[in-house]
Amino acid sequence: MSTVNSSMGRYSLKAKNAGDHIKGSIAINDEGGSQLTLQEFNEHYLDDVINNVVYPVTGGNRAITKAFRDEMIKAGFEQPH
């Protein structure tokens, strides 16, 4: 089972492969590391997590979005098509 627990800048991503979907959360933290907001997600594919969750939550920050995608791929998440 693939899992990821990663932080970049003010953003923290936790995700696990739950059979036929990816379940997890992304949080925005303040400068001290305290959580400001948390969004949970349940998506079918890696690209759905990236495009529908990570990219909008990071305000369209492509560098952080790409870094989170790379972390998820390293952790074993795959895009089936």
Side-chain angles (χ1 to χ4, degrees):
M1 179 184 292
S2 303
T3 61
V4 68
N5 186 355
S6 182
S7 295
M8 294 186 197
R10 296 179 58 178
Y11 305 98
S12 299
L13 176 70
K14 294 180 183 178
K16 69 177 180 175
N17 188 333
D20 64 343
H21 59 280
I22 300 170
K23 195 172 186 178
S25 63
I26 187 165
I28 301 173
N29 306 311
D30 66 12
E31 291 80 12
S34 298
Q35 189 176 85
L36 296 173
T37 185
L38 176 78
Q39 179 178 335
E40 293 182 342
F41 60 85
N42 188 358
E43 298 284 350
H44 286 285
Y45 303 111
L46 172 62
D47 284 349
D48 292 341
V49 172
I50 298 303
N51 296 329
N52 299 338
V53 181
V54 176
Y55 187 76
V57 168
T58 63
N61 187 315
R62 290 184 179 161
I64 291 176
T65 299
K66 182 181 181 325
F68 273 134
R69 187 176 198 282
D70 292 345
E71 287 292 316
M72 290 184 76
I73 289 171
K74 286 180 195 173
F77 292 90
E78 297 178 352
Q79 181 67 24
H81 56 313

